Amino acid sequence: MKKKEIYLDNAATTPVDSAVLKKMQPYFNEKYGNASSIHKAGDLAREGMEKARQQISTFLNCLPEEIYFTSGATESDNWVIQGIFEKANEKGLKKPHIITSVFEHKAILEPISILEKKELIESTFLGVNKDGLIDAKDVLKSIKKNTVLVSVMYANSEIGSIQPIKQIGQLIKDINVKRENKIVFHTDAVQAINYLNCDVEYLNVDALSISGHKIYGPKGIGALYLKKGISITSLICGGGQEHRLRSGTENIPGIVGLGEAINLISKKKKDNNRIKRLRNKLITGIMKDIPNVQLNGSLEYRLPNNIHFSFLEIEGEGILIDLSEQNIYVSTGSACASNFLKPSHVLSAIGLSDEESHSSIRFTLGRQTNSNDIDYVLNILTKSVNRLRKISGK
Ligand code: PLP
Protein backbone atom coordinates (compact mmCIF):
# COMPACT_ATOMS: atom_id res chain seq x y z
CA MET A 1 0.00 0.00 0.00
CA LYS A 2 1.28 3.46 -0.89
CA LYS A 3 2.37 5.41 2.19
CA LYS A 4 0.23 8.46 2.97
CA GLU A 5 1.65 11.78 1.86
CA ILE A 6 1.61 14.63 4.38
CA TYR A 7 1.79 17.91 2.56
CA LEU A 8 2.91 20.79 4.78
CA ASP A 9 3.94 23.16 2.01
CA ASN A 10 0.65 24.96 1.40
CA ALA A 11 2.34 28.36 1.12
CA ALA A 12 4.12 27.06 -2.00
CA THR A 13 0.92 25.81 -3.56
CA THR A 14 -2.34 24.08 -2.66
CA PRO A 15 -4.26 21.22 -4.27
CA VAL A 16 -7.25 22.26 -6.38
CA ASP A 17 -10.44 21.75 -4.34
CA SER A 18 -12.70 19.14 -5.95
CA ALA A 19 -15.61 21.63 -5.97
CA VAL A 20 -13.39 24.10 -7.88
CA LEU A 21 -12.30 21.43 -10.36
CA LYS A 22 -15.93 20.47 -10.99
CA LYS A 23 -16.88 24.07 -11.85
CA MET A 24 -13.86 24.42 -14.15
CA GLN A 25 -14.31 21.19 -16.12
CA PRO A 26 -17.09 22.21 -18.55
CA TYR A 27 -15.05 25.23 -19.63
CA PHE A 28 -12.38 23.02 -21.20
CA ASN A 29 -14.51 21.16 -23.74
CA GLU A 30 -18.18 22.11 -23.45
CA LYS A 31 -18.27 25.86 -22.83
CA TYR A 32 -14.98 26.38 -24.66
CA GLY A 33 -15.85 29.59 -26.54
CA ASN A 34 -13.62 32.64 -26.73
CA ALA A 35 -15.01 35.32 -24.40
CA SER A 36 -14.48 37.92 -27.16
CA SER A 37 -16.73 36.09 -29.66
CA ILE A 38 -20.21 37.48 -30.08
CA HIS A 39 -21.97 34.17 -30.82
CA LYS A 40 -23.66 32.03 -28.18
CA ALA A 41 -20.51 29.97 -27.42
CA GLY A 42 -18.73 33.25 -26.65
CA ASP A 43 -21.66 34.32 -24.45
CA LEU A 44 -21.31 31.18 -22.33
CA ALA A 45 -17.60 31.74 -21.77
CA ARG A 46 -18.23 35.40 -20.95
CA GLU A 47 -20.96 34.47 -18.47
CA GLY A 48 -18.53 32.16 -16.63
CA MET A 49 -15.90 34.90 -16.57
CA GLU A 50 -18.27 37.61 -15.34
CA LYS A 51 -19.65 35.34 -12.61
CA ALA A 52 -16.08 34.82 -11.37
CA ARG A 53 -15.44 38.57 -11.46
CA GLN A 54 -18.57 39.04 -9.40
CA GLN A 55 -17.50 36.37 -6.87
CA ILE A 56 -14.10 38.02 -6.43
CA SER A 57 -15.51 41.52 -6.15
CA THR A 58 -18.02 40.36 -3.52
CA PHE A 59 -15.16 38.86 -1.51
CA LEU A 60 -12.99 41.97 -1.79
CA ASN A 61 -15.95 44.36 -1.42
CA CYS A 62 -15.23 46.22 -4.64
CA LEU A 63 -16.85 46.75 -8.03
CA PRO A 64 -16.61 43.90 -10.58
CA GLU A 65 -14.98 46.29 -13.07
CA GLU A 66 -12.18 46.88 -10.58
CA ILE A 67 -10.99 43.25 -11.02
CA TYR A 68 -8.49 42.47 -13.83
CA PHE A 69 -7.53 38.87 -14.54
CA THR A 70 -3.83 38.09 -14.94
CA SER A 71 -1.64 35.00 -15.25
CA GLY A 72 -0.90 35.03 -11.51
CA ALA A 73 0.36 37.24 -8.74
CA THR A 74 3.81 37.62 -10.31
CA GLU A 75 2.17 39.40 -13.21
CA SER A 76 -0.17 41.41 -10.95
CA ASP A 77 2.79 42.59 -8.85
CA ASN A 78 4.98 43.42 -11.88
CA TRP A 79 2.09 45.21 -13.51
CA VAL A 80 1.37 47.50 -10.59
CA ILE A 81 5.05 48.52 -10.30
CA GLN A 82 5.67 49.03 -14.01
CA GLY A 83 2.23 50.48 -14.78
CA ILE A 84 2.17 53.08 -12.00
CA PHE A 85 5.76 54.08 -12.75
CA GLU A 86 5.02 54.57 -16.47
CA LYS A 87 1.87 56.55 -15.78
CA ALA A 88 3.79 58.90 -13.49
CA ASN A 89 6.42 59.28 -16.21
CA GLU A 90 3.72 60.07 -18.78
CA LYS A 91 2.46 62.79 -16.44
CA GLY A 92 5.94 64.35 -16.53
CA LEU A 93 7.36 63.07 -13.24
CA LYS A 94 10.98 62.36 -14.17
CA LYS A 95 12.05 60.03 -11.36
CA PRO A 96 9.07 58.79 -9.37
CA HIS A 97 9.65 57.39 -5.88
CA ILE A 98 8.43 53.92 -4.87
CA ILE A 99 8.34 52.65 -1.27
CA THR A 100 8.35 48.96 -0.41
CA SER A 101 9.82 46.66 2.23
CA VAL A 102 13.05 44.67 2.19
CA PHE A 103 11.24 41.38 2.60
CA GLU A 104 8.62 41.48 -0.15
CA HIS A 105 8.24 38.65 -2.62
CA LYS A 106 10.70 38.80 -5.53
CA ALA A 107 7.75 39.60 -7.82
CA ILE A 108 7.81 43.06 -6.21
CA LEU A 109 11.53 43.44 -5.45
CA GLU A 110 12.81 42.48 -8.91
CA PRO A 111 10.80 44.95 -11.03
CA ILE A 112 11.67 47.72 -8.58
CA SER A 113 15.39 46.82 -8.70
CA ILE A 114 15.36 46.78 -12.50
CA LEU A 115 13.82 50.27 -12.68
CA GLU A 116 16.25 51.49 -10.06
CA LYS A 117 19.30 50.09 -11.87
CA LYS A 118 18.18 51.91 -15.00
CA GLU A 119 17.98 55.05 -12.82
CA LEU A 120 14.33 55.49 -13.76
CA ILE A 121 12.99 55.61 -10.21
CA GLU A 122 14.01 56.38 -6.66
CA SER A 123 13.16 53.68 -4.16
CA THR A 124 13.01 53.12 -0.42
CA PHE A 125 13.14 49.62 1.08
CA LEU A 126 11.69 49.68 4.58
CA GLY A 127 13.27 47.49 7.22
CA VAL A 128 11.37 45.10 9.48
CA ASN A 129 11.87 44.27 13.16
CA LYS A 130 12.97 40.85 14.44
CA ASP A 131 9.34 39.66 14.45
CA GLY A 132 9.09 40.47 10.75
CA LEU A 133 6.85 43.49 11.21
CA ILE A 134 6.92 46.86 9.48
CA ASP A 135 6.29 49.98 11.50
CA ALA A 136 3.55 52.02 9.80
CA LYS A 137 5.27 55.20 10.99
CA ASP A 138 8.34 54.29 8.89
CA VAL A 139 6.16 54.44 5.78
CA LEU A 140 5.04 57.90 6.77
CA LYS A 141 8.63 59.06 7.35
CA SER A 142 9.71 57.79 3.91
CA ILE A 143 7.09 59.62 1.87
CA LYS A 144 8.49 62.30 -0.45
CA LYS A 145 7.04 64.81 -2.86
CA ASN A 146 7.63 62.42 -5.79
CA THR A 147 6.27 59.28 -4.07
CA VAL A 148 3.77 57.57 -6.38
CA LEU A 149 3.44 54.07 -4.97
CA VAL A 150 3.72 52.22 -1.67
CA SER A 151 3.67 48.42 -1.88
CA VAL A 152 3.68 46.34 1.31
CA MET A 153 2.73 42.66 1.44
CA TYR A 154 -0.20 41.68 3.68
CA ALA A 155 1.41 38.51 5.06
CA ASN A 156 4.92 37.28 4.51
CA SER A 157 5.28 34.06 2.52
CA GLU A 158 8.11 32.65 4.60
CA ILE A 159 7.48 33.55 8.22
CA GLY A 160 3.77 34.39 7.92
CA SER A 161 4.05 37.76 9.69
CA ILE A 162 1.00 39.97 9.21
CA GLN A 163 1.63 43.62 8.35
CA PRO A 164 -0.45 46.59 9.59
CA ILE A 165 -2.02 47.18 6.17
CA LYS A 166 -5.15 48.93 7.45
CA GLN A 167 -3.04 51.33 9.50
CA ILE A 168 -0.62 52.09 6.62
CA GLY A 169 -3.59 52.54 4.28
CA GLN A 170 -5.22 55.03 6.65
CA LEU A 171 -2.00 57.07 6.92
CA ILE A 172 -1.67 57.23 3.13
CA LYS A 173 -5.35 58.11 2.75
CA ASP A 174 -4.92 61.02 5.17
CA ILE A 175 -1.80 62.26 3.39
CA ASN A 176 -3.46 61.99 -0.01
CA VAL A 177 -6.15 64.51 0.98
CA LYS A 178 -3.62 67.32 0.65
CA ARG A 179 -1.57 65.92 -2.25
CA GLU A 180 -2.04 66.76 -5.87
CA ASN A 181 -0.22 63.59 -6.98
CA LYS A 182 -1.98 60.88 -5.01
CA ILE A 183 0.03 57.94 -3.70
CA VAL A 184 -1.26 54.51 -4.76
CA PHE A 185 -1.23 51.93 -1.95
CA HIS A 186 -0.79 48.33 -3.13
CA THR A 187 -0.68 45.12 -1.12
CA ASP A 188 0.32 41.64 -2.24
CA ALA A 189 -2.36 39.59 -0.47
CA VAL A 190 -1.38 36.21 -1.94
CA GLN A 191 -0.64 34.51 1.39
CA ALA A 192 -3.24 36.42 3.39
CA ILE A 193 -6.38 35.82 1.41
CA ASN A 194 -7.22 32.39 2.86
CA TYR A 195 -7.11 33.70 6.40
CA LEU A 196 -7.45 37.48 6.75
CA ASN A 197 -10.00 40.18 6.05
CA CYS A 198 -9.36 41.32 2.47
CA ASP A 199 -12.14 43.90 2.26
CA VAL A 200 -10.39 46.65 0.30
CA GLU A 201 -12.49 49.41 1.90
CA TYR A 202 -11.61 48.14 5.37
CA LEU A 203 -7.93 47.90 4.42
CA ASN A 204 -7.79 51.30 2.69
CA VAL A 205 -5.90 49.82 -0.26
CA ASP A 206 -6.01 50.99 -3.89
CA ALA A 207 -4.55 47.85 -5.45
CA LEU A 208 -4.27 44.22 -4.33
CA SER A 209 -2.73 41.10 -5.91
CA ILE A 210 -4.10 37.57 -5.63
CA SER A 211 -3.17 34.16 -7.02
CA GLY A 212 -5.33 31.09 -7.71
CA HIS A 213 -3.00 28.30 -6.70
CA LYS A 214 -2.47 29.45 -3.11
CA ILE A 215 -6.21 29.25 -2.38
CA TYR A 216 -7.09 25.74 -3.60
CA GLY A 217 -7.62 27.03 -7.14
CA PRO A 218 -5.65 26.43 -10.35
CA LYS A 219 -2.13 27.59 -11.24
CA GLY A 220 -1.52 30.23 -13.91
CA ILE A 221 -4.38 32.51 -12.92
CA GLY A 222 -4.52 35.55 -10.68
CA ALA A 223 -6.02 38.99 -10.50
CA LEU A 224 -5.25 42.58 -9.70
CA TYR A 225 -7.80 44.71 -7.90
CA LEU A 226 -7.36 48.29 -9.02
CA LYS A 227 -9.55 51.02 -7.57
CA LYS A 228 -11.65 52.89 -10.12
CA GLY A 229 -10.02 56.14 -11.17
CA ILE A 230 -6.41 54.98 -10.72
CA SER A 231 -4.43 55.42 -13.92
CA ILE A 232 -2.10 52.64 -14.97
CA THR A 233 -0.45 51.68 -18.27
CA SER A 234 -0.78 48.11 -19.51
CA LEU A 235 1.99 45.54 -19.20
CA ILE A 236 0.68 43.25 -21.95
CA CYS A 237 -0.69 44.81 -25.14
CA GLY A 238 -2.64 43.23 -27.98
CA GLY A 239 -6.34 42.56 -28.52
CA GLY A 240 -7.50 44.95 -25.82
CA GLN A 241 -9.17 42.54 -23.41
CA GLU A 242 -9.86 43.57 -19.78
CA HIS A 243 -10.87 47.16 -20.58
CA ARG A 244 -7.84 47.46 -22.88
CA LEU A 245 -5.52 47.07 -19.90
CA ARG A 246 -4.55 43.38 -20.06
CA SER A 247 -4.63 41.82 -23.49
CA GLY A 248 -4.70 38.11 -24.28
CA THR A 249 -7.50 35.57 -24.72
CA GLU A 250 -8.90 35.03 -21.25
CA ASN A 251 -8.10 31.78 -19.45
CA ILE A 252 -11.75 30.95 -18.80
CA PRO A 253 -11.32 27.61 -16.94
CA GLY A 254 -8.70 29.30 -14.72
CA ILE A 255 -10.87 32.36 -14.16
CA VAL A 256 -13.90 30.22 -13.27
CA GLY A 257 -11.67 28.22 -10.89
CA LEU A 258 -10.32 31.37 -9.26
CA GLY A 259 -13.87 32.68 -8.71
CA GLU A 260 -15.01 29.42 -7.16
CA ALA A 261 -11.88 29.13 -4.99
CA ILE A 262 -12.52 32.61 -3.59
CA ASN A 263 -16.16 31.77 -3.06
CA LEU A 264 -15.15 28.71 -1.02
CA ILE A 265 -12.88 30.72 1.31
CA SER A 266 -15.88 32.28 3.07
CA LYS A 267 -17.56 28.87 3.40
CA LYS A 268 -14.41 27.29 4.87
CA LYS A 269 -13.67 30.12 7.34
CA LYS A 270 -14.52 27.86 10.29
CA ASP A 271 -11.62 25.59 9.34
CA ASN A 272 -9.11 28.33 10.16
CA ASN A 273 -9.47 27.84 13.93
CA ARG A 274 -8.86 24.12 13.52
CA ILE A 275 -5.75 24.82 11.42
CA LYS A 276 -4.51 27.27 14.05
CA ARG A 277 -4.96 24.69 16.83
CA LEU A 278 -2.97 22.14 14.81
CA ARG A 279 -0.28 24.73 14.14
CA ASN A 280 -0.01 25.49 17.86
CA LYS A 281 0.15 21.77 18.61
CA LEU A 282 3.12 21.35 16.28
CA ILE A 283 4.88 24.46 17.62
CA THR A 284 4.45 23.29 21.23
CA GLY A 285 5.54 19.75 20.31
CA ILE A 286 8.72 20.93 18.58
CA MET A 287 9.64 23.19 21.49
CA LYS A 288 9.03 20.40 24.00
CA ASP A 289 10.64 17.47 22.16
CA ILE A 290 13.54 19.04 20.28
CA PRO A 291 16.27 21.03 22.05
CA ASN A 292 18.07 24.02 20.57
CA VAL A 293 15.33 25.29 18.27
CA GLN A 294 14.16 28.82 17.55
CA LEU A 295 10.75 29.95 16.28
CA ASN A 296 11.26 32.67 13.67
CA GLY A 297 8.81 35.55 13.34
CA SER A 298 5.99 36.85 15.50
CA LEU A 299 3.66 34.38 17.21
CA GLU A 300 0.92 36.97 17.70
CA TYR A 301 0.83 38.55 14.23
CA ARG A 302 1.22 35.36 12.24
CA LEU A 303 -0.85 33.47 9.69
CA PRO A 304 -2.70 30.61 11.40
CA ASN A 305 -1.09 27.99 9.14
CA ASN A 306 2.57 29.09 9.32
CA ILE A 307 5.41 27.61 11.37
CA HIS A 308 9.04 28.54 10.83
CA PHE A 309 11.83 27.08 12.95
CA SER A 310 15.62 27.07 12.92
CA PHE A 311 16.97 23.69 14.06
CA LEU A 312 20.32 25.02 15.13
CA GLU A 313 23.59 23.35 14.14
CA ILE A 314 22.17 21.33 11.23
CA GLU A 315 21.13 22.09 7.65
CA GLY A 316 17.42 22.57 6.98
CA GLU A 317 17.95 20.82 3.67
CA GLY A 318 19.01 17.62 5.45
CA ILE A 319 15.76 17.65 7.43
CA LEU A 320 13.74 18.36 4.28
CA ILE A 321 15.28 15.35 2.52
CA ASP A 322 14.75 13.05 5.54
CA LEU A 323 11.10 14.11 5.77
CA SER A 324 10.58 13.80 2.02
CA GLU A 325 11.85 10.17 2.21
CA GLN A 326 8.96 9.59 4.62
CA ASN A 327 6.48 11.37 2.28
CA ILE A 328 6.33 14.50 4.43
CA TYR A 329 6.71 17.65 2.35
CA VAL A 330 7.99 20.90 3.85
CA SER A 331 10.12 23.80 2.64
CA THR A 332 13.41 25.42 3.48
CA GLY A 333 12.11 28.84 2.47
CA SER A 334 9.77 30.23 -0.15
CA ALA A 335 9.40 27.85 -3.11
CA CYS A 336 10.57 30.50 -5.56
CA ALA A 337 13.71 31.27 -3.55
CA SER A 338 14.75 27.71 -2.79
CA ASN A 339 16.85 27.41 -5.96
CA PHE A 340 19.24 30.02 -4.62
CA LEU A 341 22.07 29.09 -2.28
CA LYS A 342 22.09 32.52 -0.69
CA PRO A 343 20.23 32.73 2.64
CA SER A 344 16.67 33.94 2.23
CA HIS A 345 16.37 37.74 2.07
CA VAL A 346 13.41 37.49 4.45
CA LEU A 347 15.40 35.71 7.15
CA SER A 348 18.33 38.10 6.73
CA ALA A 349 15.86 41.00 7.06
CA ILE A 350 14.72 39.79 10.51
CA GLY A 351 18.34 39.53 11.62
CA LEU A 352 19.02 35.80 11.32
CA SER A 353 22.63 34.78 10.75
CA ASP A 354 23.43 32.75 7.63
CA GLU A 355 23.74 29.69 9.84
CA GLU A 356 20.32 30.22 11.45
CA SER A 357 18.82 30.76 7.98
CA HIS A 358 20.31 27.59 6.55
CA SER A 359 19.05 25.54 9.48
CA SER A 360 15.44 26.61 9.03
CA ILE A 361 12.32 24.81 7.91
CA ARG A 362 8.89 26.21 7.02
CA PHE A 363 5.79 24.11 7.67
CA THR A 364 2.58 25.48 6.18
CA LEU A 365 -0.59 23.61 7.10
CA GLY A 366 -3.70 23.40 4.97
CA ARG A 367 -7.32 22.27 4.88
CA GLN A 368 -6.16 18.66 4.41
CA THR A 369 -3.97 18.60 7.57
CA ASN A 370 -5.26 16.60 10.57
CA SER A 371 -4.16 15.87 14.13
CA ASN A 372 -2.68 12.44 13.31
CA ASP A 373 -0.51 14.11 10.67
CA ILE A 374 0.93 16.42 13.32
CA ASP A 375 1.75 13.51 15.68
CA TYR A 376 3.41 11.61 12.86
CA VAL A 377 5.41 14.62 11.62
CA LEU A 378 6.63 15.42 15.13
CA ASN A 379 7.84 11.86 15.60
CA ILE A 380 9.71 11.70 12.27
CA LEU A 381 11.08 15.23 12.65
CA THR A 382 12.49 14.51 16.12
CA LYS A 383 14.24 11.39 14.80
CA SER A 384 15.62 13.29 11.81
CA VAL A 385 17.03 16.14 13.89
CA ASN A 386 18.61 13.68 16.36
CA ARG A 387 20.12 11.67 13.52
CA LEU A 388 21.54 14.72 11.73
CA ARG A 389 22.94 16.19 14.93
CA LYS A 390 24.64 12.88 15.72
CA ILE A 391 26.21 12.77 12.23
CA SER A 392 27.45 16.35 12.51
CA GLY A 393 28.85 15.57 15.98
CA LYS A 394 26.71 18.31 17.67
N1 PLP B 1 3.51 36.97 -3.91
C1 PLP B 1 3.61 36.14 -2.86
C2 PLP B 1 3.56 36.68 -1.48
C3 PLP B 1 3.80 34.76 -3.08
O1 PLP B 1 3.91 33.94 -2.04
C4 PLP B 1 3.86 34.29 -4.41
C5 PLP B 1 4.13 32.87 -4.70
O2 PLP B 1 4.96 32.23 -4.05
C6 PLP B 1 3.72 35.21 -5.47
C7 PLP B 1 3.56 36.55 -5.18
C8 PLP B 1 3.75 34.77 -6.90
O3 PLP B 1 2.50 34.23 -7.23
P1 PLP B 1 2.27 33.39 -8.57
O4 PLP B 1 2.83 32.03 -8.30
O5 PLP B 1 0.77 33.38 -8.75
O6 PLP B 1 2.93 34.08 -9.68
Side-chain angles (χ1 to χ4, degrees):
M1 206 172 78
K2 192 174 170 247
K3 203 149 97 199
K4 189 186 169 194
E5 295 189 327
I6 300 180
Y7 184 79
L8 295 182
D9 202 10
N10 288 277
T13 198
T14 52
V16 176
D17 190 289
S18 53
V20 170
L21 191 60
K22 203 166 157 203
K23 293 273 182 191
M24 289 172 68
Q25 245 149 9
Y27 290 90
F28 285 103
N29 56 2
E30 288 172 33
K31 305 180 185 179
Y32 53 81
N34 184 323
S36 298
S37 301
I38 49 176
H39 46 59
K40 278 194 267 180
D43 288 347
L44 281 179
R46 218 163 30 251
E47 269 167 31
M49 176 168 78
E50 293 315 324
K51 182 176 173 200
R53 211 187 296 277
Q54 183 67 55
Q55 285 169 317
I56 299 166
S57 65
T58 302
F59 185 87
L60 297 179
N61 185 27
C62 64
L63 299 169
E65 59 267 33
E66 293 175 318
I67 300 297
Y68 298 87
F69 293 111
T70 64
S71 63
T74 300
E75 184 188 328
S76 302
D77 285 353
N78 271 260
W79 183 16
V80 87
I81 303 293
Q82 185 73 28
I84 297 293
F85 150 72
E86 272 180 6
K87 206 71 202 183
N89 242 210
E90 275 179 20
K91 285 184 191 157
L93 198 58
K94 280 282 167 300
K95 237 182 163 186
H97 176 229
I98 296 179
I99 301 172
T100 190
S101 83
V102 284
F103 82 159
E104 296 297 305
H105 192 272
K106 297 279 182 186
I108 289 288
L109 294 177
E110 280 300 304
I112 293 181
S113 296
I114 290 170
L115 291 175
E116 195 177 36
K117 272 190 205 129
K118 291 180 181 165
E119 298 187 1
L120 294 170
I121 58 164
E122 275 183 55
S123 58
T124 301
F125 295 87
L126 302 168
V128 293
N129 67 14
K130 68 170 188 10
D131 283 337
L133 299 171
I134 289 167
D135 187 338
K137 289 199 286 298
D138 288 347
V139 178
L140 199 60
K141 281 186 224 153
S142 310
I143 289 173
K144 302 184 190 185
K145 221 170 150 202
N146 57 339
T147 305
V148 291
L149 175 68
V150 175
S151 179
V152 174
M153 73 197 320
Y154 198 170
N156 186 268
S157 33
E158 292 186 48
I159 54 170
S161 54
I162 300 168
Q163 306 308 322
I165 297 301
K166 181 179 170 58
Q167 209 185 336
I168 299 171
Q170 186 62 55
L171 290 174
I172 294 173
K173 211 171 165 181
D174 294 345
I175 282 187
N176 272 341
V177 173
K178 292 196 203 113
R179 280 175 75 101
E180 197 190 329
N181 293 323
K182 310 280 184 219
I183 300 168
V184 174
F185 181 37
H186 167 256
T187 189
D188 174 335
V190 167
Q191 297 291 343
I193 195 153
N194 269 323
Y195 303 105
L196 307 178
N197 185 350
C198 284
D199 177 325
V200 293
E201 290 289 326
Y202 166 82
L203 289 176
N204 304 305
V205 296
D206 304 308
L208 180 146
S209 302
I210 59 174
S211 170
H213 71 105
K214 311 282 185 175
I215 56 170
Y216 306 89
K219 294 174 179 60
I221 187 72
L224 179 68
Y225 153 75
L226 196 65
K227 196 182 187 136
K228 212 173 168 176
I230 289 181
S231 310
I232 193 165
T233 61
S234 54
L235 190 66
I236 299 178
C237 310
Q241 288 89 346
E242 298 291 278
H243 311 295
R244 310 194 67 79
L245 280 176
R246 201 288 185 177
S247 290
T249 302
E250 299 88 342
N251 168 6
I252 304 295
I255 289 171
V256 168
L258 178 63
E260 193 53 29
I262 291 242
N263 196 35
L264 277 182
I265 292 176
S266 313
K267 294 188 185 155
K268 305 255 181 189
K269 264 266 129 72
K270 277 202 293 242
D271 216 25
N272 290 349
N273 285 334
R274 187 187 67 83
I275 291 174
K276 191 171 179 178
R277 278 198 302 276
L278 293 178
R279 180 201 73 177
N280 291 346
K281 177 175 165 169
L282 186 52
I283 291 180
T284 314
I286 291 174
M287 288 183 147
K288 187 167 124 316
D289 294 353
I290 309 178
N292 220 1
V293 295
Q294 151 188 316
L295 179 69
N296 300 315
S298 162
L299 189 55
E300 192 181 355
Y301 300 102
R302 184 184 205 104
L303 288 177
N305 74 326
N306 177 290
I307 300 173
H308 196 289
F309 270 102
S310 291
F311 297 89
L312 302 171
E313 297 163 343
I314 46 176
E315 290 283 322
E317 206 169 304
I319 303 175
L320 183 145
I321 292 165
D322 269 4
L323 297 188
S324 180
E325 291 280 302
Q326 302 298 324
N327 287 3
I328 299 169
Y329 306 134
V330 297
S331 162
T332 50
S334 79
C336 313
S338 50
N339 295 337
F340 300 104
L341 283 175
K342 276 202 299 197
S344 132
H345 68 288
V346 171
L347 302 181
S348 302
I350 60 168
L352 260 61
S353 65
D354 288 4
E355 206 192 340
E356 286 167 323
S357 278
H358 285 306
S359 68
S360 67
I361 289 283
R362 178 187 72 182
F363 308 83
T364 43
L365 283 57
R367 287 180 195 158
Q368 68 286 43
T369 315
N370 65 40
S371 189
N372 289 341
D373 293 345
I374 300 295
D375 294 331
Y376 182 67
V377 168
L378 189 57
N379 180 20
I380 302 289
L381 176 68
T382 309
K383 285 185 187 150
S384 164
V385 173
N386 286 342
R387 189 184 79 79
L388 293 167
R389 282 193 176 145
K390 221 176 248 165
I391 294 172
S392 69
K394 309 272 173 152

